[in-house]
Structures are given as structure tokens and as C-alpha cells.
């Protein structure tokens, strides 16, 4: 069939090759799947709503986040301004300059440079092509963080991607609120010494001092703290008089590893009541202190809130609640492609059966497969043994269980049961925070076959007796 006048002058496969190789030469990363979807939709003349609908993403996420970032990335890679309007012209010109017009059908999008393989340790860097997007989650968080006085709560077991999501929310806010002189503070509560958790006054002094240092403000905590007022009043006044006015713009305070406070009930109730009061103060608007509308909170934790908190004073039943889930079958398949792996649906299914889409375990598997350290068959065969690529991960979990006989016994009950069972609430929450079980209402079940195989039948050995 003859081409119409509206047909693109080159195929999308060639255009994608041109764009991807330009990006790779500048950033050492390939275009992400969502970026390819936006590129293809734009190439076909679709608007953002159509692209979002076809790709299964929220329109606002495509329109205000992925799209603008993609044009900026392509502009930097080609050395000229690229937009949705001039995309076809730029890619055609670049294809001609690089003699792409003579490509044969064998030159497809699969003929791309070998992807960069990153060691899967810690949070996934902002510019990493190996970050797996949860589009609905990111879109909701990106929208919420722009709202004055907002609060976002991110909860999931360890190594599920909480901190990686947190830093992306901060990066999005920094970009979107640049004109408002936004200030960002990411504070891990693991940084506080144990002594700081022994007393509310000591903890709130550390809290204020740590934030002051992060903001590079003049340290006035000791001079400002008054013995006349209580610790919570001092902390609140310090924010009102010494932090919020000095930065003169939105302050996004991201508190990571909040679980540390759960371990100290003597300060937890007061600290979380304080955070809730700040959130409510922002909601009062002009009837309260309008400065609090500048504070936006992100709270990140692994454990369920098992300490008794007054529902009217807790920050854990207000704001936007986000609970990260394991990767889906499709997400695991897309990540495999990012690692340059070609896996069949059956192979992905085998891996999912073993590790149930656990983000860290999936990243580990693909790293070793991509570096050809072992085959998928070897990984599955040795997965639940001490010869496994997961042995450090499994040993750490075992040590944590061996430190608590009650927890160890409870988990063995879960492993020996063929159906979900009910456990004492605190034990269930702690096992869930370790990622060992999934919560199903008031019952729990082992979270994946890897843990089922490795821990079933293990004997309790008290580490304190060694």
C-alpha cells in the first residue's frame, strides 16, 4: 500500500534508535519504558490523555512529569530544543545526519548498546534506568506533595523501595516548587543516638538541631529552648520562630526510618501527637498560624503502628497513605528488559513463584543473571540454600528471628500452616515489617516460597547464649 502524505518520513523503530542512542551517549542509560511510550504516542500525533490511556498511566503524571522530563532529556542529548511539536522534524534530521535513512529491516530497536548493570544495593539512584515505576503511586504522591500542609505516609516492609520513592517525591517537589524557594530535608531517625530516645526533651532537641543543620541555618536550639514550657511547646515555637520564617518558602520534611521511634513508647506518643498537631495547624489556615501551611511531611516506616496511639492524635490516620506492594508480573518483565535480559513468560513465572516480586530480591536475581554469574535454573535450585545469592539476606533475617524466641516460634507456626493463620498482633506486625509474612485481614501467610523453603524446620538458637 502506498504511503499517505501524513505517514512519518522514517519508521518509529529508526526514530527510537536515534533517540535512545543519543540519550545513552550522554547519560549512559537507555530510555525507560514509560519514556518510549510517550515518544511513540507523540510520534503518532497523540495527545497526553491518549498516551496515558493507552499506556495505563494517570494523565497528570504523563503531562506534568514524564513528558516535560523527556523533552528536557532529549534536548540535552541532541544539543537543541526538542518538544512534542518538533519531535518528528528533529529525529528525522538526526537520522539523516547519522545515515539512519539507509537502515535495513535488521536494524531494529533490539540492536542497542549493552545496558549498564548496577549493583543492587540501597536506594535506586534518581537517574537509574533500573527504577521500577509504580505510576499510580508516584502520580498521587507528586500531586499531594504540591498541596500546602500535606502529609504523605509511605509504608512497606524492608527493601521494598520506600526510600527510593521518597527521594523521587523530593526531586519532583524541588522541580515543581523551585519558584517558591522550596527547602528539602531528608532525615533518617536512625541517625539519632540511642540516648536521644531515652527522653522526649533530648529527642526533640536533637530533632530541631538536625533539621537546623540540614537547612544550614544558625544553630539556636540551646539558646532558644525554655525551661518554662514543655518540650513539645519548645519544639513548635522553634519551628514557628526560627525555622519556618527563616527559609521563607515551603519546607518538605521527609522522615525516614520512623520505626526507630516505635521502639520507645515513652516518647512515641508525644512525638507523633506533635506531628499531628502541626498537620492540623496547617489545615486551620488563617485561623491558625499560616506558617504551618509551608510545612509538608513525608513519613516513611516499615512496621505497622503497633503502639497504642489516640486515634485523634495520631498522624497515621490522616494525609495520603501509600503502601508499596511487590512488583507485578509485568513490572518484573519490564525490569528484565532494562537489564538486557530476554526471559519467557514461563521463566518470569518461575522467578515470581520463588520470590513473589519482592523488589530487592528481583533486582538481585537480574543483576546476577545479567552479569552471567549464574543461570535462572541455578538460581532457583540454590535459592533457599546457603550457597544462594540471597544467603546474606537470609542470614540477616534468621539472626533477627534468633534474637526473639517468641517471634521465631510464631513464624514457624506460619510456615507449618497450609492456610493463613491468626497471630498475636505485635508478632504479626513485626514479621510483616521484616517482609516475612503478608497480612490478610487479621491473619498472616508466608510472603514467598523462598522464605518458606529456607526457614521451615530451622531450629531456634538463642544468640545471647552464644
Amino acid at each position: 500500500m502506498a504511503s499517505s502524505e501524513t505517514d512519518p518520513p522514517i519508521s518509529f523503530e529508526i526514530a527510537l534508535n536515534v533517540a535512545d542512542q543519543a540519550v545513552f551517549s550522554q547519560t549512559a542509560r537507555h530510555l525507560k519504558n514509560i519514556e518510549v511510550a510517550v515518544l511513540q504516542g507523540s510520534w503518532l500525533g497523540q495527545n497526553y490523555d491518549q498516551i496515558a490511556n493507552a499506556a495505563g498511566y494517570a494523565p497528570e503524571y504523563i503531562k506534568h512529569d514524564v513528558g516535560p522530563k523527556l523533552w528536557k532529556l532529549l534536548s540535552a542529548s541532541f544539543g537543541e530544543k526538542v518538544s512534542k511539536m518538533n519531535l518528528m522534524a528533529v529525529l528525522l534530521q538526526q537520522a539523516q545526519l547519522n545515515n539512519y535513512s539507509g537502515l535495513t529491516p535488521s536494524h531494529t530497536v533490539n540492536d542497542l548498546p549493552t545496558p549498564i548493570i548496577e549493583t543492587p544495593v540501597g536506594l535506586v539512584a534518581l537517574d537509574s534506568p533500573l527504577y521500577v515505576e509504580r505510576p499510580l503511586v508516584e502520580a498521587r504522591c507528586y500531586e499531594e506533595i504540591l498541596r500546602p500542609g500535606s502529609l504523605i505516609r509511605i509504608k512497606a516492609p524492608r527493601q521494598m523501595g520506600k526510600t527510593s520513592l521518597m527521594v523521587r517525591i523530593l526531586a519532583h517537589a524541588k522541580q515543581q516548587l523551585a519558584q517558591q524557594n522550596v527547602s528539602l530535608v531528608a532525615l533518617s531517625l536512625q541517625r539519632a543516638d540511642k540516648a536521644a530516645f531515652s527522653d522526649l526533651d533530648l529527642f526533640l532537641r536533637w530533632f530541631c538541631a538536625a533539621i537546623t543543620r540540614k537547612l544550614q541555618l544558625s544553630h539556636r536550639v540551646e539558646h532558644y529552648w525554655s525551661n518554662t514550657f514543655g518540650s513539645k511547646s519548645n519544639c513548635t515555637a522553634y519551628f514557628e520562630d526560627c525555622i519556618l520564617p527563616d527559609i521563607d518558602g515551603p519546607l518538605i520534611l521527609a522522615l525516614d526510618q520512623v520505626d526507630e521511634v516505635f521502639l520507645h513508647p515513652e516518647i512515641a506518643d508525644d512525638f507523633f501527637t506533635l506531628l499531628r498537631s502541626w498537620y492540623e495547624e496547617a489545615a486551620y489556615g488563617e485561623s491558625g498560624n499560616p506558617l504551618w501551611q509551608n510545612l509538608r511531611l513525608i513519613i516513611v516506616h516499615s512496621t505497622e503502628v503497633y503502639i497504642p496511639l489516640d486515634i485523634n492524635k495520631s498522624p497515621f490516620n490522616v494525609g495520603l497513605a501509600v503502601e508499596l506492594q511487590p512488583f507485578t508480573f509485568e513490572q518484573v518483565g519490564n525490569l528484565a528488559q532494562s537489564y538486557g535480559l530476554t526471559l519467557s513468560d514461563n521463566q518470569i513465572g518461575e522467578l515470581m513463584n520463588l520470590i513473589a516480586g519482592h523488589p530487592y530480591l528481583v533486582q538481585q536475581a537480574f543483576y546476577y543473571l545479567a552479569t552471567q554469574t549464574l543461570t535462572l535454573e541455578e538460581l532457583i535450585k540454590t535459592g533457599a540454600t546457603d550457597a544462594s545469592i540471597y544467603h546474606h539476606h537470609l542470614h540477616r533475617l534468621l539472626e533477627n528471628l534468633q534474637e526473639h524466641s517468641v517471634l521465631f516460634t510464631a513464624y514457624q507456626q506460619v510456615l507449618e500452616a497450609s492456610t493463613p493463620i491468626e497471630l498475636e498482633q505485635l508478632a504479626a506486625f513485626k514479621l510483616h515489617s521484616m517482609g516475612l509474612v503478608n497480612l490478610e485481614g487479621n491473619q498472616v501467610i508466608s510472603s514467598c516460597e523462598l522464605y518458606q523453603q529456607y526457614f521451615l524446620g530451622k531450629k531456634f538458637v538463642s544468640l545471647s547464649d552464644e
Side-chain angles (χ1 to χ4, degrees):
M1 179 181 292
S3 298
S4 69
E5 291 182 356
T6 58
D7 284 340
I10 57 175
S11 69
F12 175 69
E13 287 74 16
I14 292 176
L16 179 56
N17 263 297
V18 172
D20 189 85
Q21 292 194 20
V23 169
F24 187 87
S25 67
Q26 292 294 316
T27 66
R29 79 161 177 88
H30 294 294
L31 289 170
K32 301 176 183 178
N33 291 329
I34 181 59
E35 293 170 332
V36 173
V38 173
L39 191 71
Q40 185 172 26
S42 301
W43 182 261
L44 297 174
Q46 296 176 346
N47 60 38
Y48 284 126
D49 287 345
Q50 292 171 319
I51 295 171
N53 183 61
Y57 290 84
E60 293 301 309
Y61 177 58
I62 300 295
K63 187 180 302 182
H64 298 302
D65 188 86
V66 180
K69 288 180 180 177
L70 176 59
W71 310 134
K72 183 177 180 180
L73 175 65
L74 292 175
S75 297
S77 300
F78 288 130
E80 63 177 298
K81 184 173 178 60
V82 179
S83 68
K84 196 170 184 295
M85 300 301 295
N86 73 348
L87 174 67
M88 190 175 293
V90 172
L91 291 180
L92 174 60
Q93 181 184 47
Q94 291 294 327
Q96 292 171 339
L97 288 174
N98 291 280
N99 296 319
Y100 269 93
S101 57
L103 281 176
T104 65
S106 63
H107 290 79
T108 67
V109 69
N110 294 322
D111 297 323
L112 296 174
T114 303
I116 296 293
I117 305 302
E118 303 169 4
T119 305
V121 177
L123 69 88
V124 182
L126 276 173
D127 60 349
S128 172
L130 302 182
Y131 177 73
V132 176
E133 295 174 332
R134 298 172 169 98
L136 295 180
V137 170
E138 278 108 349
R140 291 174 65 203
C141 291
Y142 292 165
E143 180 180 357
E144 184 69 13
I145 201 63
L146 302 182
R147 190 175 63 81
S150 58
L151 186 154
I152 300 173
R153 297 175 286 116
I154 304 173
K155 181 175 75 69
R158 287 191 59 180
Q159 298 178 315
M160 290 286 287
K162 299 183 300 298
T163 305
S164 295
L165 173 60
M166 182 191 81
V167 299
R168 281 161 177 80
I169 298 172
L170 292 174
H172 178 79
K174 182 178 181 181
Q175 180 186 52
Q176 297 297 316
L177 300 174
Q179 299 300 318
Q180 299 182 37
N181 192 35
V182 66
S183 298
L184 311 176
V185 172
L187 182 64
S188 171
L189 297 190
Q190 284 189 331
R191 295 283 183 89
D193 293 340
K194 287 184 179 180
F197 291 104
S198 64
D199 176 81
L200 180 66
D201 193 71
L202 283 175
F203 177 74
L204 292 182
R205 285 173 185 255
W206 171 84
F207 184 69
C208 288
I211 294 169
T212 299
R213 176 182 291 178
K214 288 269 188 177
L215 292 170
Q216 298 183 335
L217 298 176
S218 175
H219 179 81
R220 291 177 280 173
V221 176
E222 296 302 327
H223 298 290
Y224 193 85
W225 221 256
S226 170
N227 292 328
T228 304
F229 301 100
S231 303
K232 290 191 292 184
S233 293
N234 280 330
C235 186
T236 299
Y238 187 80
F239 266 74
E240 288 180 336
D241 298 345
C242 301
I243 293 182
L244 295 176
D246 283 7
I247 61 175
D248 190 28
L251 168 61
I252 300 180
L253 178 55
L255 303 179
D256 201 3
Q257 304 289 346
V258 171
D259 309 72
E260 292 294 320
V261 182
F262 297 164
L263 302 175
H264 305 276
E266 62 275 11
I267 71 167
D269 185 71
D270 281 319
F271 178 61
F272 292 129
T273 298
L274 180 64
L275 296 182
R276 170 67 177 259
S277 73
W278 292 350
Y279 174 78
E280 291 180 340
E281 187 79 18
Y284 294 155
E286 294 299 326
S287 62
N289 187 337
L291 275 175
W292 287 104
Q293 292 192 359
N294 281 339
L295 179 65
R296 304 166 197 202
L297 289 168
I298 304 173
I299 298 176
V300 181
H301 61 107
S302 300
T303 312
E304 293 280 349
V305 185
Y306 54 79
I307 55 177
L309 294 174
D310 187 330
I311 192 171
N312 296 312
K313 298 179 180 179
S314 168
F316 296 101
N317 63 342
V318 294
L320 173 63
V322 175
E323 184 164 3
L324 299 186
Q325 302 297 326
F327 292 158
T328 64
F329 186 97
E330 181 182 8
Q331 288 171 324
V332 171
N334 289 338
L335 183 60
Q337 293 178 13
S338 296
Y339 272 93
L341 297 170
T342 303
L343 299 180
S344 68
D345 286 352
N346 286 338
Q347 289 175 313
I348 295 174
E350 287 184 273
L351 191 62
M352 291 290 287
N353 287 337
L354 180 67
I355 57 180
H358 186 293
Y360 173 74
L361 301 181
V362 172
Q363 294 273 13
Q364 284 279 103
F366 287 166
Y367 172 78
Y368 281 95
L369 292 177
T371 56
Q372 300 182 351
T373 307
L374 80 173
T375 65
L376 180 61
E377 292 72 24
E378 292 169 338
L379 186 156
I380 292 173
K381 181 178 180 180
T382 63
T385 71
D386 288 332
S388 168
I389 62 171
Y390 300 128
H391 68 281
H392 290 303
H393 174 80
L394 295 169
H395 288 175
R396 176 183 60 77
L397 290 172
L398 181 59
E399 287 178 3
N400 288 342
L401 288 171
Q402 299 283 17
E403 290 178 356
H404 306 282
S405 60
V406 174
L407 210 56
F408 185 94
T409 301
Y411 188 46
Q412 287 298 322
Q413 293 174 9
V414 175
L415 296 174
E416 292 167 1
S418 57
T419 58
I421 65 171
E422 190 167 342
L423 293 178
E424 186 272 327
Q425 187 183 55
L426 182 57
F429 285 162
K430 287 187 174 180
L431 289 173
H432 178 62
S433 74
M434 296 168 67
L436 292 171
V437 301
N438 293 331
L439 300 175
E440 297 186 358
N442 294 326
Q443 297 181 317
V444 300
I445 189 171
S446 184
S447 59
C448 70
E449 184 64 25
L450 175 70
Y451 297 155
Q452 182 78 22
Q453 293 178 17
Y454 183 79
F455 291 105
L456 183 61
K458 291 286 185 184
K459 302 299 181 182
F460 179 76
V461 178
S462 175
L463 296 183
S464 61
D465 296 336
E466 293 183 349

